[in-house]
Each structure stands twice: as structure tokens, then as C-alpha cells.
């Protein structure tokens, strides 16, 4: 429901709304806000990776993802929001303060369908919270996230096992260059019987989750499939935003 008449929004809110209160807001890196909320749990309880929606105006909803679940009653949820979009959702999040009361719209958690056990996770800043929710669950994941240049150092300090790439001029370009270099390294490694640094990293993958900018995800999937790193069926994709489009 990125956009809906106010009456329909009211209906959705009464069916799916969970009363919530902001416990904390802080900035882990430039361009990111981390929210901690206490929110009544939906059927089945909160889960990392749970998709939620905030009603940011009476007629607009914006979607976000639960990164962490904590607290004695598992009703504390953490959400990592990127603030690059400059739309009404981002404005609304910027205005949140500890104590603010709100409503979180959600239903029972339906996890993304992942494949394999050694997975590649790619995304941009708005997908970092989701990627962390899934990648933390186990295995030996390869995680690469494109973020604003000044966020690279603080995010690397916080998540030393993830690779953060400074975003270039166009969304997805930095990730695409990294992926193409890594894929080419893999071919060299296979031909020469050696483990090239990047190729070695992509070797043995059996699944991927690609999130974030719609067009970039398509290019990434193409590079993975055409480069025979993964079959198409092993790649899960979910667009979070598209250039010039409001809310997805
Ligand atoms: C299932 C789902 C889960 C999501 N989870 C998260 C999450 O946990 N954290 C998070 O930060 N975001 C998340 N998003 C993305 C978030 O909903 C979008 O970025 C949203 O468009 C932001 O709303 P807005 O009102 O600020 O901008 P909009 O009004 O939607 O868009 C305004 C302009 O900004 C551009 N834009 C939108 N998003 C971005 C972006 N991320 N970077 C750069 N430009 C952008 C648009 O193309 C448009 O031109 C999720 C999206 C989906 C679909």
C-alpha cells in the first residue's frame, strides 16, 4: 500500500496495526538511522527479517524490515533505515524521537525464500538491515553492500565481516564492478587451478539474495547467471526501490 485513500489506510491499520513506541533513535553512520521500538507482536511473534509498514501520511505507507528482535517479551524491534531517499518516508523517520507513539502494520512473518547454504548477499544501504537479519542466521556468507562513501568506515567497524563499497555516481555501479571483477577472478582461478582473491570468495556459492535498487538487482542477477556462478533458480531477488518511483 505505497499509496491508498485514507479510508483504506484506516481499514488496513485496524486489521494489521500493532501499537508501538519509539525507544531510541541513533545514527550508526552518515545516511543511516537505527530505530528501536517496542511494538506489540503479530501472530507468530516478531522475527528478524519481518516486513513492516509505517503509515507515514494518512494516504502513504512505506515498507521497512525488522533487523533485530530482543527484550524479555521479544517485543523490542530494531529497524535500520537509510536516509538517502528524501521522500515522505525518510522525512517521517527523521522526525521520530524516543517516546513517539506510532503504529506498525504487519502480518505473520513470511521469510524470503532462500536457496543453498553458502550464500551471497548483495544490496545497497536500504537493504543492509534485511541482509544482516538473514546473513547473521548462519553459514559462511559473502556480504557486499554499497553505501555512501562516508558511511564505509563506521559500518566496517560495526560489521567487520561484511564488505562495504563506496557508492559511485549511479546506483549499483560499485556493486556491479565488484561482482564482475569477482566473477572474472573466479574464471582465472578455475583455469589456473589457483584461488584468486575474489574468485576464491565466490567459489562454492550455492545461493544468493539480491535486494535494493530494482535495475541494479537485474544486472547483478544477469552477471551471476551469465557468469555461471549460480543458476537462476538459486538467486532470490526483491526490489526495494526504483529510480523515480515513490514507494514500492
Ligand atoms: C519489502 C521492503 C522492505 C524494505 N526495508 C527497508 C529497510 O529496512 N530499511 C530501509 O532503509 N529501506 C527499506 N526499504 C526501502 C524503502 O521502503 C524505500 O527506500 C522507500 O522508497 C523510502 O521512502 P521515501 O518516502 O523516503 O521515498 P519515496 O517517496 O519512495 O521515493 C522518493 C525518491 O527517492 C528515491 N529512492 C527511494 N528509495 C531510495 C533509496 N533507498 N536510495 C536512494 N533513492 C531512493 C525514489 O526513486 C524516488 O525518486 C524496503 C522496501 C521494501 C519494498
Amino acid at each position: 500500500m505505497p499509496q491508498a485513500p485514507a479510508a483504506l489506510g484506516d481499514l488496513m491499520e485496524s486489521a494489521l496495526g500493532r501499537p508501538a513506541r519509539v525507544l531510541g533513535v541513533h545514527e550508526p553512520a552518515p545516511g543511516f538511522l537505527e530505530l528501536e521500538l517496542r511494538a506489540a507482536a503479530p501472530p507468530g511473534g516478531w522475527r528478524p527479517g519481518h516486513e513492516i509498514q509505517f503509515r507515514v501520511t494518512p494516504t502513504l505507507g512505506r515498507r521497512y524490515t525488522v533487523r533485530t528482535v530482543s527484550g524479555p517479551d521479544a517485543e523490542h524491534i530494531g529497524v535500520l533505515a537509510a536516509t538517502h531517499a528524501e521522500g515522505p518516508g525518510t522525512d517521517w523517520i527523521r522526525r521520530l524521537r524516543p517516546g513517539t507513539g506510532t503504529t506498525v502494520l504487519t502480518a505473520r512473518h513470511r521469510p524470503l525464500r532462500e536457496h543453498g547454504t553458502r550464500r551471497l548477499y548483495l544490496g545497497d544501504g536500504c537493504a543492509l538491515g534485511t541482509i544482516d537479519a538473514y546473513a547473521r542466521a548462519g553459514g559462511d556468507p559473502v556480504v557486499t553492500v554499497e553505501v555512501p562513501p562516508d558511511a564505509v568506515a563506521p559500518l566496517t567497524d560495526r560489521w567487520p565481516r561484511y564488505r562495504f563499497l563506496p557508492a559511485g555516481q549511479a546506483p549499483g555501479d560499485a556493486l556491479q564492478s565488484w561482482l564482475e571483477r569477482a566473477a572474472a577472478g573466479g574464471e582465472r582461478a578455475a583455469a589456473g587451478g589457483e584461488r584468486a582473491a575474489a574468485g576464491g570468495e565466490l567459489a562454492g556459492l550455492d545461493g544468493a539474495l539480491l535486494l535494493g535498487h530494482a535495475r541494479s538487482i537485474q544486472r547483478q542477477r544477469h552477471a551471476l547467471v551469465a557468469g555461471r556462478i549460480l543458476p537462476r533458480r538459486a538467486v532470490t531477488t526483491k526490489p526495494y526501490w526504483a529510480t523515480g518511483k515513490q514507494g514500492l
Side-chain angles (χ1 to χ4, degrees):
M1 189 205 66
Q3 179 143 21
L8 182 57
D10 289 346
L11 210 62
M12 297 263 298
E13 188 167 327
S14 63
L16 301 174
R18 308 271 134 197
R21 189 155 298 279
V22 178
L23 301 175
V25 184
H26 83 277
E27 190 182 30
F32 291 86
L33 284 174
E34 190 149 46
L35 316 176
E36 196 194 349
L37 301 111
R38 186 192 170 96
W46 289 115
R47 298 280 178 267
H50 217 125
E51 287 179 14
I52 59 174
Q53 198 168 152
F54 294 120
R55 203 173 167 199
V56 301
T57 74
T59 58
L60 294 177
R62 290 292 182 263
R63 294 159 83 183
Y64 289 86
T65 309
V66 172
R67 187 179 74 81
T68 54
V69 179
S70 60
D73 46 9
E75 289 200 338
H76 288 195
I77 58 172
V79 175
L80 186 64
T83 56
H84 328 132
E86 305 290 354
T90 306
D91 285 350
W92 181 86
I93 282 182
R94 281 207 178 100
R95 288 197 302 272
L96 293 176
R97 296 287 176 270
T100 307
T102 185
T103 304
V104 177
L105 277 69
T106 196
R108 185 180 288 273
H109 178 48
R110 289 176 50 216
L112 293 168
R113 192 146 167 228
E114 292 192 280
H115 301 273
T117 51
R118 183 165 190 265
R119 301 192 186 110
L120 172 69
Y121 293 87
L122 300 180
D124 52 40
C126 73
L128 175 57
T130 314
I131 288 177
D132 184 50
Y134 281 89
R136 233 180 323 129
D140 177 21
V142 177
V143 177
T144 303
V145 184
E146 178 179 298
V147 296
D150 52 355
V152 170
L155 293 176
T156 305
D157 285 349
R158 167 104 178 249
W159 281 288
R161 295 184 59 210
Y162 301 168
R163 175 186 288 100
F164 293 98
L165 302 175
Q169 289 250 304
D173 277 359
L175 259 180
Q176 191 67 21
S177 306
W178 174 83
L179 187 57
E180 284 169 9
R181 277 199 315 276
E187 276 166 29
R188 278 200 305 276
E194 64 197 31
R195 270 176 78 85
E201 198 174 0
L202 294 190
L205 292 175
D206 54 3
L209 180 60
L210 316 179
L211 302 171
H213 181 235
R215 176 80 189 106
S216 303
I217 289 173
Q218 288 176 1
R219 291 165 69 201
Q220 290 155 17
R221 181 171 59 188
H222 179 77
L224 288 170
V225 174
R228 298 217 222 140
I229 294 162
L230 285 169
R232 196 180 169 91
R233 66 172 182 283
V235 182
T236 306
T237 59
K238 182 140 192 168
Y240 274 14
W241 66 283
T243 304
K245 195 157 191 310
Q246 269 120 57
L248 276 193

